[in-house]
Amino acid sequence: MAYGPKVIDHYEHPRNVGNFGTTADVKTRKDIGVGVVGAPECGDVMQIQIKVDPASGKIEDAKFKCFGCGSAIASSSLATEWIKGMSVDEALQIKNTDIVEELSLPPVKIHCSVLAEDAIRSAISDYKKKNGIPETAPSASAH
Amino acid sequence: MLTLPIYFDHAATTPCDPRVVDAMLPYFTEKFGNAGSRNHKFGWEAEEGIDRAREQAAALIGANEKEIIFTSGSTEGNNLAIKGAAEMYEKKPAGQTGRGHIITAIHEHKAVLDPCKRLQKEGFDVTFLEPPRDGVITAKAVEAAMRPDTILVTLMWANNELGTINEVPEIGRLCKSRNVLFHTDATQWVGKMPTDVERDGIDLLTWSGHKIYGPKGVGALYVRRRNPRVRLVAQIEGGGQERGYRSGTQNVTGIVGFGKACEIALNEMDADGKRLLAFRQKMERELTRALDVTQINGHAERRLPHILNISFGFVEGEGLMMAIKEIACSSGSACTSASLEPSYVLKALGIGDDLAHSSLRLSMGKWTTEEQVDYAIAKITEAVKKLRLLSPLYDMHLEGIDINTIQWAAH
């Protein structure tokens, strides 16, 4: 299967690879939200970590790691690029279809974009839970 | 000079040997006759071409030329052997156990599994053996599954994904002692490894042209004529070609090319096999030395020289193939398939889905060079290292977290 040029660009030059510390470290840090979605037996695991400035509520930094195909790596790389600088509520507005469009993902790779959306939501949910912030509006990811 | 991309997918198909193409060419234009035309030169020429090919094919497996049925390839050969034998040797009248019992294994090729499943629907009883972790079906396992109403055992000689080799001469001898027919799908074996249907106790054997540097769309089925004389119910009916087993105007050009490929294989397989075994061992040695959590799938020794199936933990196969796009190979990952199911063959061995998704099948051939092997080793090592830097699972591994203990949210 041929990949689109944007997928190849993100795959070859992934943005924001990494994390803000070990699994144990980030668990205790209130300014960090961690989202890990997917499963190894499904061939995709995506991890997105966000670092939120408590004063402004803005995502000042984001990191990702991904076990998966080129489209999964590109989707998570793109997601971190987009959410940096957004408020957490703005980041929640990102839809998987936005990612599909930006990367021109074929139908068979749509699940990669769904995972990226889920990873963002999951990271934000973790951040909110740690800080006692109630989850806003129903997260409308129906799939 | 290394030309890219390099081809490491010879278990899928092989390039046609130029000597094969040369042998075929006259049969497209000058000797174009129908081998069934018995009363003119054009027909005779075509028939002579087929006769020679039949001798060449028989010589490769130690058979008599009368025992060779030309087919369109191994899928057709397997269908004819399995359905044709089952229908011919079914227990009549249908007893309580159905029309008869067939033994096969769950990690066979689909071209064996699906005919067996069809027969199951039509009243035959089929045992699907489960291989141990090394992927090798033993004679002992077959013996344990045998019943008084067993009519057919169908097991591949060597596995297409793993290269593992079943205990074929032993299984053949067992079947002989029980008067049970033995069919083997030898598509990956014949032309690579020495074959003697007498010594190896085989009644029906399938192979294909395009895996042995011949053309696509042609293959052969060996049907034993003595001790016992095996008969089949034809699956394609019509003009009665190929002794009535396979009607249809013969693919003369293809058959001539197939015969030539068999002749070349007989002469060159020993030398090719030795060279490729050294290459495979070099790849195994260097890749497992350079990369931790890397496992070779299938039996350590009972494997074809040219096929390597290897899993790199914490790296997804399709993502890996994208990083080594200059190396044409295949993966047990099925990220592109709608089901998202990894290789059923690797699963049959009890290899976890995560490692099945992380597997590559590298298969070499006659024209593989050491330079290509060295390139593949370097490129794969670099790619796995790069992707592990991206892999959250590798981080967890380094932190001492067992990923099998995590409650993953299945998607």
Side-chain angles (χ1 to χ4, degrees), chain A residues 3 11-12 17 19 22-23 36 38-43 45 65-70 73 108-109 114-115 118 143, chain B residues 314-316 318-319 322-323 325 335-336 340 353-354 357-358 386-387 389-393 395 399 401 408-409 411:
Chain A
Y3 289 93
Y11 176 82
E12 284 176 357
V17 176
N19 51 47
T22 65
T23 311
V36 182
E41 59 266 30
C42 302
V45 175
K65 288 237 171 176
C66 178
F67 162 86
C69 64
I73 290 169
V108 73
K109 294 295 184 188
V114 174
L115 270 182
D118 284 357
H143 54 258
Chain B
F314 321 115
V315 170
E316 198 275 330
E318 197 195 333
M322 193 171 166
K325 54 184 183 298
C335 196
T336 45
L340 298 180
D353 283 0
D354 51 334
H357 276 295
S358 304
K386 177 192 157 179
L387 288 170
L389 289 177
L390 286 182
S391 172
L393 303 179
D395 283 348
E399 290 176 23
I401 300 166
W408 297 101
H411 210 71

Side-chain angles (χ1 to χ4, degrees), chain B residues 23 49 66 79 91 105 109 131 136 143 153 175 178 224 234 248 300:
Chain B
K66 291 199 180 87
N79 271 268
K91 303 285 181 192
H109 194 276
V136 176
E143 187 168 24
V153 171
C175 290
R178 302 291 181 94
R224 174 172 288 281

Side-chain angles (χ1 to χ4, degrees), chain B residues 40-310:
Chain B
H40 55 65
K41 180 171 175 278
F42 300 92
W44 300 330
E45 282 174 345
E47 195 182 15
E48 278 165 28
I50 289 180
D51 288 347
R52 192 176 330 106
R54 213 181 292 281
E55 287 165 18
Q56 290 162 323
L60 181 60
I61 61 166
N64 181 285
E65 65 268 18
K66 291 199 180 87
E67 298 175 306
I68 302 297
I69 306 296
F70 288 119
T71 64
S72 64
S74 287
T75 295
E76 187 193 331
N78 288 336
N79 271 268
L80 173 55
I82 295 167
K83 293 179 189 164
E87 288 170 18
M88 180 61 77
Y89 294 95
E90 67 177 307
K91 303 285 181 192
K92 290 177 193 169
Q96 286 173 321
T97 52
R99 298 168 69 185
H101 177 232
I102 296 165
I103 299 172
T104 186
I106 56 170
H107 62 326
E108 287 286 316
H109 194 276
K110 296 275 187 196
V112 165
L113 291 176
D114 285 358
C116 286
K117 285 177 188 161
R118 162 68 71 98
L119 291 170
Q120 204 173 22
K121 266 188 221 138
E122 293 177 351
F124 290 88
D125 200 2
V126 183
T127 297
F128 295 90
L129 296 173
E130 292 181 17
R133 181 92 189 182
D134 65 17
V136 176
I137 299 291
T138 61
K140 215 172 149 192
V142 177
E143 187 168 24
M146 277 207 177
R147 308 191 320 210
D149 64 334
T150 303
I151 54 172
L152 175 70
V153 171
T154 173
L155 290 165
M156 61 191 359
W157 202 322
N159 186 277
N160 51 305
E161 285 192 31
L162 305 163
T164 49
I165 300 165
N166 287 332
E167 286 187 1
V168 163
E170 295 86 347
I171 294 169
R173 280 198 288 275
L174 167 72
C175 290
K176 191 118 296 190
S177 73
R178 302 291 181 94
N179 285 321
V180 172
L181 287 183
F182 178 41
H183 165 250
T184 185
D185 174 359
T187 308
Q188 298 290 344
W189 173 276
V190 167
K192 314 286 164 65
M193 303 294 276
T195 307
D196 183 331
V197 289
E198 291 305 327
R199 180 196 63 202
D200 302 328
I202 291 154
D203 297 314
L204 295 155
L205 178 146
T206 309
W207 82 106
S208 192
H210 74 103
K211 307 284 194 198
I212 57 168
Y213 311 96
K216 292 169 183 64
V218 61
L221 173 64
Y222 157 79
V223 184
R224 174 172 288 281
R225 264 167 70 94
R226 265 198 198 98
N227 304 319
R229 182 185 181 88
V230 177
R231 290 176 305 146
L232 302 172
V233 173
Q235 304 295 308
I236 298 178
E237 293 165 311
Q241 289 89 344
E242 298 297 308
R243 296 198 290 129
Y245 281 137
R246 204 278 187 180
S247 289
T249 297
Q250 282 120 325
N251 170 10
V252 182
T253 43
I255 289 170
V256 166
F258 178 77
K260 185 69 186 173
C262 290
E263 182 192 277
I264 296 170
L266 185 61
N267 294 329
E268 299 182 0
M269 66 182 164
D270 288 349
D272 286 345
K274 274 199 196 89
R275 207 169 52 87
L276 296 179
L277 177 64
F279 286 172
R280 195 199 79 205
Q281 286 169 338
K282 183 176 191 181
M283 282 204 289
E284 290 171 354
R285 204 169 50 237
E286 307 224 340
L287 288 172
T288 51
R289 189 164 55 200
L291 299 162
D292 62 337
V293 201
T294 291
Q295 77 173 37
I296 292 153
N297 299 314
H299 196 281
E301 284 95 38
R302 286 189 71 94
R303 292 219 319 281
L304 290 174
H306 61 290
I307 299 180
L308 171 60
N309 191 309
I310 187 165

Side-chain angles (χ1 to χ4, degrees), chain A residues 84-100:
Chain A
K84 268 165 79 166
M86 283 184 175
S87 73
V88 289
D89 290 328
E90 280 166 349
L92 283 174
Q93 301 306 312
I94 294 173
K95 293 275 170 290
N96 81 290
T97 46
D98 303 332
I99 296 169
V100 171

Side-chain angles (χ1 to χ4, degrees), chain B residues 17-54:
Chain B
D17 190 311
R19 293 168 287 181
V20 167
V21 179
D22 286 345
M24 291 170 73
L25 285 175
Y27 289 88
F28 282 105
T29 48
E30 301 146 38
K31 305 179 181 181
F32 62 86
N34 184 328
S37 302
R38 291 283 156 77
N39 43 12
H40 55 65
K41 180 171 175 278
F42 300 92
W44 300 330
E45 282 174 345
E47 195 182 15
E48 278 165 28
I50 289 180
D51 288 347
R52 192 176 330 106
R54 213 181 292 281

Side-chain angles (χ1 to χ4, degrees), chain A residues 3-113:
Chain A
Y3 289 93
K6 285 187 181 165
V7 171
I8 291 173
D9 181 45
H10 275 279
Y11 176 82
E12 284 176 357
H13 312 283
R15 285 42 146 192
N16 309 308
V17 176
N19 51 47
F20 298 111
T22 65
T23 311
D25 282 348
V26 292
K27 225 175 223 164
T28 59
R29 283 184 55 181
K30 281 196 155 187
D31 59 334
I32 306 280
V34 180
V36 182
V37 296
E41 59 266 30
C42 302
D44 293 293
V45 175
M46 218 178 258
Q47 172 183 285
I48 288 182
Q49 299 190 348
I50 53 171
K51 186 164 180 278
V52 184
D53 173 21
S56 64
K58 284 207 166 30
I59 298 171
E60 52 180 3
D61 202 358
K63 298 276 186 203
F64 90 93
K65 288 237 171 176
C66 178
F67 162 86
C69 64
S71 300
I73 290 169
S75 296
S76 37
S77 168
L78 176 69
T80 57
E81 211 175 30
W82 277 356
I83 60 177
K84 268 165 79 166
M86 283 184 175
S87 73
V88 289
D89 290 328
E90 280 166 349
L92 283 174
Q93 301 306 312
I94 294 173
K95 293 275 170 290
N96 81 290
T97 46
D98 303 332
I99 296 169
V100 171
E101 204 176 318
E102 174 67 16
L103 295 176
S104 314
L105 295 180
V108 73
K109 294 295 184 188
I110 286 174
H111 71 278
C112 299
S113 68

